[in-house]
């Protein structure tokens, strides 16, 4: 079928009419277990009554007012994020890329205000920070960058999970003033950083007066069983970025700042038309409240551990399965070869998953997932992976 849409996405041949909990229904009335949640967005699943109520309530009052005026919903959400993170101030955006773009601009402004007019940001190989030009420059994916050179300068990529790599890069360039890091890489193949490494990077940033900027766009908002994945290392970053799960499906991102990163932005230095409008902030507040009321952090931790254990029991010894890793409900199953056909095969089995970094099957189900639903997920996924591995490449 010819389409007026730009050919940006290679889409699977299915469209969904409605959802309920962890389930989605297509136009033929077929039911799918959603183990992807819109790539980590639909944290409360589909059609959660409190999410629906928050959106309709606020839509009936006022959807949007300009940031030229006070927005109480924004104040309340910022206050809540500050309480959950132990940080100090929040700037809202409409996506994860924009939240990171804001963080990268902040690193430059922080440098500028401290006499470093060419601030360099250290970022990691295999990282993913977005598709805008600056976030692409920060992103450690040669494939995503191809065709978009020249990208903005000011980004130095180093080996993930290596403190020495950061030190070496900084020794070679005294303009370094910050580090941008995912403590659990998502697009990079569900790869966790070591707790000791995260703590050591925190200490290094303190010693050198750098900003430690943590991208929690995918790993944040309860996904790993803590509000933010870096909290497993008991550290507080200077800058943290959020999006995806924060709005439960409405587009919202946030750049959160603390300590030396706070009070860097002033009126006129940055801005957004849509960022933090009453609709998205009221909705995000309802998401955070519902997650707390329903104990979804603990659920993500417990059901995630259970799911990982079941997958390990079923697949751990299967030839071709390299590793099953991740935390909470952010899990990856790495195979020994590229596995692009798996999402389509899973779709045929009534299951939504995707593949990241070519050979890691990624699971990001809604945080409302229950144990018996995790069993259902396993019973649909395991035969798909076994069938894939049993066919010749
Ligand atoms: C860690 C991380 N940062 C940033 C982004 C970009 O977010 P968005 O697609 O909302 O712009 C993503 C998206 O996958 C991500 O996983």
């Amino acid at each position: 079928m010819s389409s007026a849409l730009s050919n940006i996405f290679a889409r699977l041949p299915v469209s969904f009419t409605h959802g309920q909990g962890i389930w989605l229904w297509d136009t033929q009335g077929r039911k799918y277990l959603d183990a992807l949640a819109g790539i980590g967005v639909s944290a409360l699943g589909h059609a959660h009554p409190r999410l629906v109520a928050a959106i309709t309530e606020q839509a009936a009052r006022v959807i949007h007012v300009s940031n030229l005026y006070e927005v109480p919903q924004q104040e309340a959400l910022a206050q809540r994020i500050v309480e959950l993170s132990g940080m100090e101030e929040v700037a809202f955006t409409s996506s994860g890329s924009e939240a990171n773009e804001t963080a990268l601009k902040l690193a430059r402004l922080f440098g500028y205000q401290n006499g470093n007019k060419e601030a360099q940001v250290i970022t990691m190989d295999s990282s993913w920070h977005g598709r805008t030009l600056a976030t692409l420059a920060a992103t450690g994916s040669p494939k995503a960058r191809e065709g978009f050179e020249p990208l903005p300068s000011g980004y130095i990529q180093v080996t993930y999970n290596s403190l020495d790599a950061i030190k070496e890069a900084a020794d070679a360039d005294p303009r370094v003033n910050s580090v941008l890091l995912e403590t659990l890489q998502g697009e990079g193949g569900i790869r966790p950083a070591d707790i000791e490494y995260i703590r050591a990077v925190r200490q290094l940033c303190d010693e050198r007066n750098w900003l430690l900027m943590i991208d929690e766009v995918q790993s944040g908002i309860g996904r790993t069983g803590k509000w933010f994945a870096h909290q497993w290392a008991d550290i507080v970053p200077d800058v943290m970025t959020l999006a995806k799960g924060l709005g439960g499906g409405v587009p919202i991102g946030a750049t959160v700042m603390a300590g030396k990163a706070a009070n860097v932005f002033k009126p006129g230095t940055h801005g957004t038309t849509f960022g933090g409008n009453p609709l998205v902030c009221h909705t995000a507040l309802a998401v955070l409240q519902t997650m707390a009321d329903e104990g979804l952090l603990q659920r993500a931790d417990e059901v995630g551990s259970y799911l990982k254990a079941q997958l390990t029991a079923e697949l751990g010894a299967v030839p071709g399965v390299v590793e099953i890793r991740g935390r909470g409900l952010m899990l990856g199953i790495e195979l020994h070869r590229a596995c692009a056909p798996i999402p389509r095969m899973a779709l045929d089995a009534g299951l939504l998953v995707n593949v990241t970094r070519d050979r890691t099957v990624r699971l990001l189900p809604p945080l409302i997932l229950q144990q018996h639903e995790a069993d259902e997920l396993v019973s649909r996924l395991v035969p798909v992976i076994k069938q894939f591995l049993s066919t010749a490449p």
Side-chain angles (χ1 to χ4, degrees):
M1 190 180 80
S2 77
S3 168
L5 279 176
S6 179
N7 194 22
I8 292 175
F9 295 99
R11 299 175 195 266
L12 290 173
V14 64
S15 73
F16 303 105
T17 53
H18 63 286
Q20 185 67 58
I22 64 157
W23 299 97
L24 277 171
W25 281 262
D26 73 7
T27 45
Q28 312 301 311
R30 249 193 110 205
K31 190 177 169 192
Y32 300 82
L33 195 163
D34 185 2
L36 190 58
I39 318 193
V41 168
S42 312
L44 300 183
H46 303 283
H48 192 294
R50 288 182 63 178
L51 187 61
V52 174
I55 293 171
T56 46
E57 250 164 48
Q58 189 57 46
R61 278 192 219 118
V62 59
I63 293 174
H64 180 84
V65 297
S66 165
N67 278 316
L68 296 172
Y69 310 105
E70 289 178 3
V71 183
Q73 296 83 353
Q74 220 177 86
E75 299 274 352
L77 179 60
Q79 182 56 37
R80 186 77 182 118
I81 292 173
V82 158
E83 283 161 16
L84 299 176
S85 62
M87 297 177 72
E88 287 171 51
E89 59 175 55
V90 186
F92 289 105
T93 67
S94 307
S95 70
S97 295
E98 261 185 285
N100 283 327
E101 186 86 18
T102 304
L104 296 172
K105 284 184 72 181
L106 178 108
R108 290 231 170 140
L109 199 56
F110 173 71
Y112 182 83
Q113 290 172 358
N114 289 283
N116 176 359
K117 294 193 176 157
E118 294 179 18
Q120 307 287 304
V121 182
I122 292 183
T123 72
M124 305 301 149
D125 66 356
S126 309
S127 62
W128 190 272
H129 302 296
R131 297 269 193 183
T132 63
L133 287 173
T135 57
L136 204 51
T139 287
S141 163
K143 199 163 99 184
R145 299 154 60 106
E146 193 183 334
F148 298 103
E149 310 277 351
L151 291 167
S153 58
Y155 304 97
I156 305 170
Q157 243 136 54
V158 305
T159 305
Y160 183 50
N161 217 13
S162 162
L163 189 68
D164 286 345
I166 297 179
K167 285 182 177 165
E168 272 166 36
D171 287 348
D173 194 331
R175 301 170 301 172
V176 167
N177 84 337
S178 47
V179 174
L180 175 62
L181 176 70
E182 290 157 273
T183 61
L184 173 52
Q185 288 186 337
E187 304 304 308
I190 313 293
R191 292 204 301 153
D194 297 335
I195 296 288
E196 289 317 314
Y197 164 80
I198 298 165
R199 290 183 180 150
V201 178
R202 173 67 281 178
Q203 198 183 334
L204 189 69
C205 288
D206 285 340
E207 286 164 10
R208 303 201 181 185
N209 198 35
W210 295 347
L211 299 178
L212 174 56
M213 308 199 288
I214 300 210
D215 182 340
E216 293 271 7
V217 166
Q218 191 163 148
S219 57
I221 313 295
R223 178 129 308 266
T224 69
K226 297 254 188 210
W227 282 108
F228 312 108
H230 67 260
Q231 290 175 330
W232 289 105
D234 276 324
I235 58 132
V236 180
D238 302 302
V239 180
M240 165 174 77
T241 54
L242 301 171
K244 291 194 184 277
L246 178 58
V250 300
I252 181 169
T255 309
V256 190
M257 293 149 274
K260 51 188 180 287
N263 296 310
V264 172
F265 285 129
K266 300 275 185 273
T269 49
H270 192 56
T272 162
T273 297
F274 287 115
N277 81 16
L279 181 76
V280 296
C281 286
H282 184 71
T283 306
L285 255 178
V287 169
L288 297 181
Q289 197 53 50
T290 305
M291 287 182 58
D293 294 346
E294 296 190 0
L296 295 188
L297 270 62
Q298 201 185 344
R299 173 100 65 94
D301 191 22
E302 287 172 7
V303 177
S305 299
Y306 175 78
L307 177 58
K308 193 172 167 187
Q310 296 305 107
L311 289 168
T312 304
E314 296 277 347
L315 290 170
V318 172
V321 174
V322 176
E323 194 181 15
I324 297 162
R325 56 178 178 254
R327 191 156 212 167
L329 289 170
M330 184 167 172
L331 298 175
I333 304 156
E334 185 180 340
L335 306 184
H336 70 145
R337 63 181 160 96
C339 57
I342 283 193
R344 175 62 201 258
M345 292 169 68
L347 189 75
D348 292 340
L351 177 67
L352 306 184
V353 298
N354 87 333
V355 167
T356 173
R357 210 160 170 81
D358 299 332
R359 55 200 188 114
T360 300
V361 179
R362 171 169 52 176
L363 304 177
L364 296 170
L367 306 184
I368 54 166
L369 188 79
Q370 298 183 40
Q371 188 168 314
H372 70 274
E373 295 168 329
D375 288 330
E376 184 64 39
L377 195 170
V378 172
S379 74
R380 290 177 188 225
L381 181 61
V382 166
V384 167
I385 291 183
K386 284 185 175 166
Q387 192 197 338
F388 172 78
L389 289 171
S390 68
T391 54

